[in-house]
Amino acid sequence: MKVLMIENDLRLAAVICDVLLFQKHQVSIDSDEAGLQKKLKKQDFDMMIWDASYEGAEYDLTLKQIKEQNPSLTVVAITEEMTLDKRIRILDAGADYCLEKSFDVRALLMCIQGISRKKRWEYNWNYHSRHQRAAAC
């Protein structure tokens, strides 16, 4: 899978990157949101790991815009101090999963495995649906 990671903690980003590369994923890292739009326009990513530690309406709006422009992009938000209100706000803004720092890397890998299964299932479903329609014509 092609993964875009937006994380301002460079040590955490390096650890996650090493784990993902070991699992044979392609990873692109940014430490802020400045280059995010450029990367999303240049490449198709399957998943984004998003540092949700940023607060406020600007964060929510940015994530909503990203999801509107890239509806198939799966977002895993990671944040410090996960309260129920914060989790709801993050999910409402468009994240698919939320993990609280300091999470066990196995939890992230399980999210990624679930995302991979879902994307494979969607691909297979679409592939077979197209071929069944073509055979019917």
Side-chain angles (χ1 to χ4, degrees):
M1 283 184 31
K2 290 178 72 173
V3 179
L4 174 60
M5 185 173 12
I6 307 299
E7 175 56 58
N8 62 3
D9 180 344
L10 296 180
R11 288 186 302 171
L12 177 60
V15 169
I16 294 172
C17 183
D18 287 345
V19 169
L20 295 178
L21 290 173
F22 183 77
Q23 296 286 323
K24 307 283 191 248
H25 298 289
Q26 298 174 32
V27 184
S28 180
I29 302 175
D30 238 312
S31 60
D32 59 28
E33 298 175 36
L36 175 63
Q37 294 295 345
K38 282 189 235 174
K39 284 190 176 184
L40 286 171
K41 286 180 183 176
K42 286 182 181 178
Q43 299 180 40
D44 285 331
F45 291 95
D46 301 303
M47 178 183 143
M48 180 171 69
I49 300 173
W50 178 276
D51 182 351
S53 297
Y54 304 105
E55 293 290 335
E58 183 177 311
Y59 164 83
D60 296 343
L61 181 63
T62 301
L63 186 53
K64 285 180 182 180
Q65 290 171 340
I66 290 168
K67 288 295 282 190
E68 285 173 6
Q69 295 168 2
N70 305 278
S72 65
L73 180 68
T74 303
V75 177
V76 176
I78 54 177
T79 187
E80 300 170 5
E81 300 178 27
M82 182 74 74
T83 63
L84 179 59
D85 288 338
K86 188 169 188 175
R87 182 181 298 268
I88 290 169
R89 193 191 92 242
I90 290 168
L91 292 170
D92 190 48
D96 299 286
Y97 300 91
C98 290
L99 295 174
E100 185 173 4
K101 293 179 185 177
S102 59
F103 56 88
D104 189 318
V105 174
R106 294 175 296 180
L108 177 61
L109 292 175
M110 293 308 295
C111 284
I112 294 170
Q113 286 177 6
I115 293 164
S116 293
R117 278 192 303 271
K118 181 181 177 194
K119 290 197 178 285
R120 276 194 309 272
W121 184 87
E122 288 171 349
Y123 173 81
N124 288 334
W125 175 261
N126 290 331
Y127 177 82
H128 290 297
S129 295
R130 279 193 308 263
H131 281 65
Q132 286 175 349
R133 285 192 301 261
C137 292

